[in-house]
Amino acid sequence: MARPSSSSPATRPWRARARPSSGAFDYIPKPFTPDELRDVVRNAIAARAEKGDARMLDLMAIVSHELKSPVSVVHTTADTLYRGYFGNLDPAQQKTIETIIRNCQYLEDIIRSYIDLSKMELDDLESFKTEINLVEDVITPVIEVPENSANMKQMPIETDFAAIPPVQGDPNLLKIVVTNLVSNAIKYGKAGTPIKLRLEKQDGAVVFSVHNEGVGISKEDIEKKLFSKFGRLKQKGTEGVKGSGLGLYICKKIVEKHSGKIWVDSEAGSWVRFNVSLPA
């Protein structure tokens, strides 16, 4: 019986050649064990999934960006009608406009979340280690937006900003965090009560907090659902309030990219305070 030559298939290492058509990226030298084969297959599946997620994320960001302007126009128009600039509304008309506004806010929440998510995935912290003033560069631009400063629930925004040192980071990403926290304070807060923003230095870090009165968050939800992707809390008093379930997940990822941490203090049924700590 003839021996296989050195170039025969029986002795030549099997190699997956990296060709665009096949998408191969790894190889298995013979002889190989079942565990080695499983590892390569597992890596291939993970790589394909990540690539698919990235493509889907890009697509969602593009679609969201295109939807942003028309939804904003509908929201602004409905808000103008609601405030009576074109005449007083009867109760039925007012209720209809409220429904339109509520659904516009929901769509804007989803749109903003996917745009923010795409920014978060693409940005590299090494590329934006610039020194910034949190009050001037991040917080003030957010609270001056009309939908926050003149929100429909008439919740005044109160500030208590101590003199603090600058931090390093990306102001645009940090605006995403502040926008989400202030938006949630309005969305889940009690109408007419103040939203309290505080900025102070604690133990060598800069701590920003957003406090509001309202339904609060249970300890169980804080521990199990709050910062998870697509995590939606079902609490008494939030019926009819819609959201993407991505906002706080995005906040957590951005804060972690800045080597910081985010946590929550709350009394269920009474108040909630979100805290963000960043290295000074």
Side-chain angles (χ1 to χ4, degrees):
M1 181 175 179
R3 291 183 179 180
S5 68
S6 60
S7 61
S8 69
T11 59
R12 189 169 62 247
W14 178 82
R15 183 181 296 272
R17 301 184 185 279
R19 292 190 307 232
S21 59
S22 66
F25 66 97
D26 206 349
Y27 70 92
I28 309 176
K30 293 178 63 176
F32 54 83
T33 66
D35 285 341
E36 290 173 335
L37 177 60
R38 277 192 289 269
D39 286 342
V40 171
V41 173
R42 189 181 300 112
N43 291 339
I45 293 172
R48 181 63 59 87
E50 289 175 4
K51 193 171 183 180
D53 288 346
R55 288 178 177 174
M56 179 60 71
L57 193 60
D58 289 342
L59 177 60
M60 291 304 299
I62 292 170
V63 172
S64 298
H65 191 272
E66 293 301 313
L67 289 173
K68 185 178 179 180
S69 292
V71 172
S72 180
V73 169
V74 174
H75 188 176
T76 302
T77 303
D79 191 55
T80 301
L81 291 171
Y82 183 80
R83 294 177 185 274
Y85 288 109
F86 296 106
N88 295 328
L89 304 176
D90 62 40
Q93 292 171 329
Q94 193 168 32
K95 187 174 181 180
T96 300
I97 296 297
E98 285 175 355
T99 301
I100 294 172
I101 292 174
R102 189 164 56 249
N103 281 281
C104 283
Q105 290 172 335
Y106 171 57
L107 289 174
E108 287 170 338
D109 184 27
I110 293 176
I111 290 167
R112 185 176 64 248
S113 292
Y114 278 108
I115 293 175
D116 292 349
L117 196 58
S118 67
K119 291 178 184 176
M120 184 186 70
E121 295 294 340
L122 293 173
D123 282 325
D124 180 1
L125 186 59
E126 295 299 322
S127 68
F128 51 74
K129 281 191 173 180
T130 56
E131 196 171 271
I132 60 174
N133 182 304
L134 277 176
V135 175
E136 296 178 1
D137 300 328
V138 178
I139 302 172
T140 299
V142 171
I143 62 179
E144 287 182 345
V145 173
E147 64 185 87
N148 295 328
S149 61
N151 61 83
M152 290 179 58
K153 296 176 78 172
Q154 298 182 336
M155 300 176 70
I157 297 177
E158 300 178 355
T159 61
D160 180 8
F161 299 154
I164 60 161
V167 299
Q168 287 188 331
D170 183 329
N172 292 321
L173 287 182
L174 292 174
K175 282 179 187 175
I176 291 171
V177 175
V178 177
T179 297
N180 273 293
L181 297 183
V182 172
S183 176
N184 281 351
I186 296 171
K187 188 184 299 182
Y188 299 103
K190 183 179 178 182
T193 61
I195 297 169
K196 300 177 182 179
L197 308 187
R198 185 178 177 86
L199 194 62
E200 58 187 332
K201 188 176 179 182
Q202 294 180 7
D203 302 324
V206 174
V207 178
F208 170 68
S209 63
V210 180
H211 175 282
N212 71 273
E213 297 177 31
V215 296
I217 305 172
S218 68
K219 183 178 179 181
E220 182 181 1
D221 280 342
I222 291 174
E223 293 175 349
K224 295 182 179 180
K225 297 180 181 179
L226 195 60
F227 293 104
S228 62
K229 186 183 287 188
F230 301 113
R232 295 283 292 125
L233 308 185
K234 294 182 179 179
Q235 295 174 273
K236 186 177 180 180
T238 64
E239 297 84 357
V241 179
K242 298 180 180 181
S244 65
L246 285 170
L248 292 177
Y249 167 80
I250 291 171
C251 288
K252 185 173 185 291
K253 293 299 181 182
I254 291 174
V255 171
E256 289 175 346
K257 278 195 171 190
H258 285 79
S259 302
K261 62 179 181 179
I262 182 170
W263 72 98
V264 182
D265 300 311
S266 181
E267 182 179 326
S270 183
W271 58 271
V272 63
R273 180 174 61 247
F274 282 85
N275 309 280
V276 174
S277 174
L278 300 171

